[in-house]
Amino acid sequence: MKNIITKDYQEMSQLTARIIADEIKKKPNMAFAIPTGGTPIGTLQELVNIYNKEKLDFSKLKCFNIDEYVSLEKEHEQSYYYFLNHYLYQKTNISPSNTYVPNVFNDLEKECHDYEKIIQEHGNFDFILLGIGEDGHIGFNEPQALHQAYCHVQKLDQSTIEANSRFFEKKEEVPKHAITLGMATILKSKKIVLIANGKKKANVIKKLLSTQEINPLFPASFLLLHNDVTIICDQDAING
Ligand code: PGA
């Protein structure tokens, strides 16, 4: 695992956006899996800046949600489709027909199967950008003894619900389940970049950088199985 430490959140976001833009230049139709949450906002904003300043064409880019809350409509401000549409899709020439998200109002098992199939039809991801939870989750793959390899419905841990409640008016409004990519699909991505910032992530980043073994109770440790992972984090996420 390669580790890049930046001086702050802005530098982390600029560097990550630059890496993504370079990949888009190399392969304009790349399959790109994108996270949500607080961490990637700066990166997506910087990517939009590059798009505007450098007239980068995103029209062929294929964009995939890494996860989506069960029970939130696409139009709901806290849905993850809304997030990506708000921060990226509607600010660029990404074609709506090239954006993919599980439909959480269909039969969920069928939807997971179909989402997985679409990803495979695209030859799996060229690039996945990941955040990381304080408990080590990636996507919504929570610490648990048994992991599902492919797209599945995940019950969210209480700690994840607490962490995400900052985006909702009331904690009770945070959905209890989400559809998420599974570990196998994440690991089939050609490139993986994981970003983290802030003191709150210092423990989990320290654990990730020192981990030598795969532990299902520490989901990010599965990244040890991949040969092209870059962890980009700011000083606070390293020093606490
Ligand atoms: P955050 O979430 O970016 O809001 O910290 C990360 C995650 O839970 O994966």
Side-chain angles (χ1 to χ4, degrees):
M1 272 190 246
K2 190 169 150 199
N3 179 215
I4 301 173
I5 302 165
T6 63
K7 86 172 182 296
D8 55 19
Y9 179 71
Q10 192 187 3
E11 195 180 283
M12 180 198 82
S13 304
Q14 284 170 341
L15 176 67
T16 308
R18 176 54 60 197
I19 291 171
I20 298 166
D22 287 347
E23 292 298 319
I24 297 172
K25 280 180 201 161
K26 278 193 253 164
K27 187 173 179 188
N29 66 341
M30 77 168 185
F32 177 29
I34 320 172
T36 55
T39 315
I41 292 176
T43 300
L44 298 180
Q45 286 168 335
E46 292 296 339
L47 197 56
V48 170
N49 287 342
I50 295 175
Y51 164 83
N52 286 322
K53 283 196 201 125
E54 300 176 19
K55 307 272 173 275
L56 198 56
D57 182 18
F58 286 6
S59 64
K60 297 191 180 70
L61 191 64
K62 317 282 182 182
C63 298
F64 294 80
N65 271 72
I66 289 178
D67 38 28
E68 182 57 285
Y69 283 125
V70 169
S71 77
L72 297 192
E73 306 271 355
K74 266 176 141 180
E75 298 73 28
H76 190 290
E77 282 192 22
Q78 295 310 329
S79 86
Y80 286 164
Y81 181 81
Y82 185 98
F83 177 100
L84 292 185
N85 192 42
H86 175 77
Y87 285 107
L88 184 64
Y89 303 161
Q90 67 175 20
K91 294 187 165 70
T92 63
N93 68 341
I94 288 171
S95 161
S97 62
N98 286 338
T99 65
Y100 301 91
V101 62
N103 181 340
V104 292
F105 292 93
N106 276 354
D107 174 308
L108 294 181
E109 237 169 78
K110 181 175 180 318
E111 192 57 26
C112 290
H113 177 266
D114 291 352
Y115 197 57
E116 194 67 46
K117 199 158 159 247
I118 294 170
I119 295 165
Q120 283 175 19
E121 281 165 4
H122 282 82
N124 293 304
F125 301 124
D126 294 291
F127 190 103
I128 185 164
L129 179 66
L130 294 172
I132 184 167
E134 287 169 51
D135 60 359
H137 70 235
I138 51 177
F140 263 135
N141 295 285
E142 299 280 27
Q144 54 207 336
L146 293 177
H147 280 266
Q148 293 191 48
Y150 299 106
C151 186
H152 59 280
V153 177
Q154 173 75 54
K155 183 175 186 313
L156 305 185
D157 281 358
Q158 198 50 37
S159 61
T160 301
I161 292 174
E162 303 272 344
N164 291 1
S165 65
R166 69 191 195 278
F167 298 114
F168 291 80
E169 270 180 34
K170 293 190 216 128
K171 198 168 82 187
E172 300 72 57
E173 289 174 14
V174 185
K176 310 279 182 293
H177 295 85
I179 287 185
T180 180
L181 298 177
M183 236 24 124
T185 308
I186 291 174
L187 291 171
K188 275 193 231 164
S189 177
K190 294 185 187 74
K191 268 185 186 298
I192 300 179
V193 171
L194 182 148
I195 51 175
N197 72 285
K199 294 177 192 298
K200 276 188 171 174
K201 297 286 168 76
N203 282 339
V204 75
I205 290 299
K206 190 170 170 204
K207 194 168 167 186
L208 178 57
L209 293 175
S210 61
T211 194
Q212 308 262 1
E213 57 189 34
I214 291 145
N215 176 357
L217 299 180
F218 185 53
S221 64
F222 280 88
L223 296 176
L224 286 174
L225 292 168
H226 198 278
N227 65 1
D228 192 350
V229 179
T230 305
I231 297 164
I232 305 176
C233 47
D234 71 355
Q235 286 284 353
D236 282 349
I238 287 288
N239 298 327

